[in-house]
């Protein structure tokens, strides 16, 4: 059950924003085998000058089309699985014109007890939801 935050500079159409989200979700579905309805994305547009995304010394330039992605998910997946997900997201975004240097991704892990899907309960802890397999 990843929670995905997608931050972009303003200027894309609602259809383009939805397509970015869907491409990222499709990559997660393909790589992690999560259920289709485990779709929890927050897309936020920012005015020019509110996203700062340099190259961390890697020697490339990002464009104003940068897509900043944060994935919050339960821990336990292998480094290889994470790397495969990163590559799949970049490939799917490239299909809609997002350059590789404009894909920035942060991956944050937590535990089953860190999630509530509503009603003030931790459904993985109460047993209302089965803890996902890795």
């Amino acid at each position: 059950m990843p929670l995905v935050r997608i931050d972009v500079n303003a200027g894309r159409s609602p259809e383009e924003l939805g397509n970015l989200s869907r491409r990222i979700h499709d990559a997660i579905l393909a790589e992690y085998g999560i259920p289709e309805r485990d779709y929890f994305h927050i897309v936020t547009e920012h005015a020019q000058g509110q996203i700062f995304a340099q190259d961390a010394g890697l020697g490339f330039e990002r464009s104003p089309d940068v897509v900043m992605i944060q994935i919050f998910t339960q821990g336990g997946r292998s480094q290889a699985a994470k790397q495969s997900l990163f590559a799949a997201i970049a490939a799917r975004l490239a299909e809609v014109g997002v350059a590789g240097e404009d894909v920035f991704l942060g991956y944050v892990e937590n535990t089953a007890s860190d999630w509530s899907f509503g009603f003030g309960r931790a459904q993985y802890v109460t047993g209302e939801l089965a803890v996902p397999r890795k």
Side-chain angles (χ1 to χ4, degrees), residues 1-39:
M1 192 309 294
L3 168 62
V4 179
R5 294 190 53 94
I6 304 163
D7 292 271
V8 298
N9 285 311
R12 289 180 168 96
S13 71
E15 294 78 19
E16 289 171 311
L17 295 173
N19 200 18
L20 291 175
S21 172
R22 188 69 229 182
R23 295 292 178 136
I24 294 166
H25 187 61
D26 287 346
I28 296 169
L29 288 172
E31 296 300 315
Y32 283 2
I34 66 170
E36 167 67 35
R37 290 181 55 86
D38 276 0
Y39 193 175

Side-chain angles (χ1 to χ4, degrees), residues 98-120:
V98 179
E101 63 269 19
D102 284 333
V103 179
F104 180 94
L105 202 149
Y107 192 94
V108 182
E109 294 181 322
N110 53 39
T111 68
S113 66
D114 295 319
W115 297 93
S116 173
F117 294 88
F119 305 102

Side-chain angles (χ1 to χ4, degrees), residues 8-10 12 48 51 62-67 102:
V8 298
N9 285 311
R12 289 180 168 96
Q48 292 295 324
I51 292 180
R62 297 190 200 275
S63 81
D65 292 332
V66 65
V67 179
D102 284 333

